């Protein structure tokens, strides 16, 4: 009976130890599962960080590309600004030339308005000149009106008659 009691006590101890070991196994298994979850979480975080690093590098490449474009646009802006200044200068010069040409046109129109008034006078001078020239060429040497005209013209040509000039008679040409 003492053996049985001892056997029962040993069995109880074994069960107690098995329960303790079993509880400990469960605790270890639970702790192991937690550690595995942490490792997976860290791996996911590391993978996320790697993805973030790759994305960061891609963004840096885009920033470099955009900086290059900004520089290019800055140069184009400078070129366009210079062209605008050149065109403004050309426009100013063209406007000045336009003003000068308008003034010249006004002067010419003013002269043209006077031309119709001068044409009858020139025609009259031309007719008188032609008749005088025909008389001179005809050789009026016998006297009369023809001789008087020839004498007057000679006096005019020599400068002895100051009232009438060759221009007045249309003979200056």
């Amino acid at each position: 009976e003492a053996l049985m009691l001892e056997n029962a006590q040993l069995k109880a101890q074994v069960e107690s130890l098995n329960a303790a070991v079993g509880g400990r196994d469960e605790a270890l298994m639970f702790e192991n599962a937690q550690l595995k979850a942490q490792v997976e979480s860290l791996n996911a975080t590391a993978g996320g960080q790697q993805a973030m690093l790759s994305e960061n590098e891609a963004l840096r490449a885009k920033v470099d590309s955009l900086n290059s474009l900004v520089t290019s646009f800055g140069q184009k802006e400078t070129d366009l600004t210079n062209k605008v200044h050149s065109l403004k200068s050309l426009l100013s010069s063209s406007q000045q030339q336009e003003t000068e040409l308008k003034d010249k046109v006004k002067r010419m129109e003013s002269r043209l308005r006077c031309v119709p008034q001068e044409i009858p006078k020139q025609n009259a001078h031309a007719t008188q000149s032609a008749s005088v020239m025909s008389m001179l060429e005809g050789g009026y040497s016998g006297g009369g009106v023809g001789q008087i005209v020839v004498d007057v013209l000679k006096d005019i040509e020599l400068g002895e008659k100051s009232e009438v000039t060759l221009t007045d008679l249309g003979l200056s040409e």
Side-chain angles (χ1 to χ4, degrees):
E1 204 175 291
L3 272 169
M4 280 183 77
L5 183 62
E6 194 177 330
N7 189 14
Q9 284 177 346
L10 285 176
K11 276 186 183 183
Q13 279 181 344
V14 166
E15 285 179 20
S16 171
L17 287 175
N18 279 338
V21 168
R24 194 165 207 184
D25 282 344
E26 287 178 20
L28 287 175
M29 289 172 73
F30 179 73
E31 188 177 337
N32 189 19
Q34 284 180 335
L35 288 174
K36 282 183 180 181
Q38 287 178 354
V39 165
E40 287 177 14
S41 174
L42 289 173
N43 284 338
T45 302
Q49 287 178 348
Q50 184 63 34
M52 291 172 87
L53 286 174
S54 297
E55 186 178 344
N56 190 17
E57 288 177 21
L59 289 174
R60 284 183 191 204
K62 285 182 181 179
V63 166
D64 290 342
S65 174
L66 290 173
N67 282 336
S68 174
L69 284 174
V70 166
T71 301
S72 174
F73 286 142
Q75 290 171 347
K76 287 179 181 179
E77 179 186 20
T78 301
D79 292 345
L80 290 175
T81 301
N82 291 339
K83 285 181 182 180
V84 166
H85 289 300
S86 175
L87 288 173
K88 282 182 180 180
S89 175
L90 183 61
L91 176 64
S92 176
S93 174
S94 295
Q95 287 173 337
Q96 184 178 3
Q97 286 178 348
E98 178 187 19
T99 302
E100 290 171 1
L101 288 174
K102 282 181 179 179
D103 291 343
K104 191 173 185 177
V105 166
K106 286 178 184 177
R107 287 192 306 271
M108 295 286 216
E109 286 174 344
S110 174
R111 285 183 184 171
L112 283 175
R113 281 188 216 110
C114 297
V115 168
Q117 296 167 358
E118 293 177 9
I119 289 176
K121 291 179 186 176
Q122 290 177 351
N123 286 341
H125 285 301
T127 304
Q128 291 172 355
S129 297
S131 62
V132 169
M133 290 304 284
S134 66
M135 283 191 283
L136 289 174
E137 290 172 356
Y140 283 98
S141 59
V145 177
Q147 187 61 45
I148 293 172
V149 171
V150 170
D151 291 339
V152 169
L153 288 175
K154 283 184 183 176
D155 289 343
I156 291 171
E157 190 175 350
L158 297 174
E160 295 174 8
K161 288 274 187 186
S162 60
E163 301 88 37
V164 181
T165 63
L166 290 175
T167 304
D168 292 338
L169 296 174
L171 299 174
S172 63
E173 297 172 7

